[in-house]
Amino acid sequence: MSRTPALTFALVFASLNAGAEEMIKIDMFALTPEGTGAKLGTITAKDAPEGVELIPDLRGLAPGKHGFHLHREPNCDPAEQDGKPVPGLAAQGHFDPGNTGVHAGPAGNGHLGDLPALIADQDGSANQSMVAPRLKISDLKAHALIIHSGGDNYADIPQKLGGGGPRVACGVIP
């Protein structure tokens, strides 16, 4: 059986891409009561053997630990709560397809929206990669990534949802 050069090329190309990993690059923006503000950078997500690897390339964050979550809705707009606009509230709550209602961290048995903490250096940059062990790249699609102003203890005590503080940055995953 003889093959045309075009067919041979197509077969080789398909076999080379069969093992290629899918990557998503998410633009991240500062949140304001009016909506999204300045672009802070990107977060690249890709499937890894241990889960989804998240690779931030961000600038302009407050130094220190930040709560980091996958939220239900692909929307970074503000929404009203108690008569006031709340930045990023249209993203709604953490991604919880199993309706666990439990905040137990990225490796725990609670909702899937808990991501490892995002750490910003003294200059406000964040570039340490992290892995969300219970997620696949397909889980991220049609949701939003939210960065909170403070750290997250992955528990609902002493503060609900880990005490991460206000939403300060958001990116929509198409």
Side-chain angles (χ1 to χ4, degrees), residues 27-40 75-78 87-88 145-146 168-172:
D27 291 330
M28 298 296 292
F29 297 90
L31 289 174
T32 72
E34 294 78 35
T36 55
K39 184 175 175 181
L40 300 177
N75 192 336
C76 294
D77 291 341
L145 288 179
I146 296 281
V168 296
C170 181
V172 169

Side-chain angles (χ1 to χ4, degrees), residues 56-132:
D57 182 12
L58 301 169
R59 307 278 177 272
L61 295 170
K65 187 176 178 182
H66 294 270
F68 187 36
H69 302 100
L70 182 65
H71 283 249
R72 286 192 312 258
E73 296 298 321
N75 192 336
C76 294
D77 291 341
E80 204 168 286
Q81 183 177 37
D82 299 327
K84 296 179 184 177
V86 177
L89 192 60
Q92 296 188 12
H94 298 168
F95 178 56
D96 188 10
N99 294 314
T100 66
V102 176
H103 189 67
N109 290 323
H111 62 69
L112 294 177
D114 277 339
L115 301 175
L118 186 87
I119 309 294
D121 295 336
Q122 285 303 104
D123 66 359
S125 65
N127 54 26
Q128 293 179 338
S129 72
M130 63 199 78
V131 174

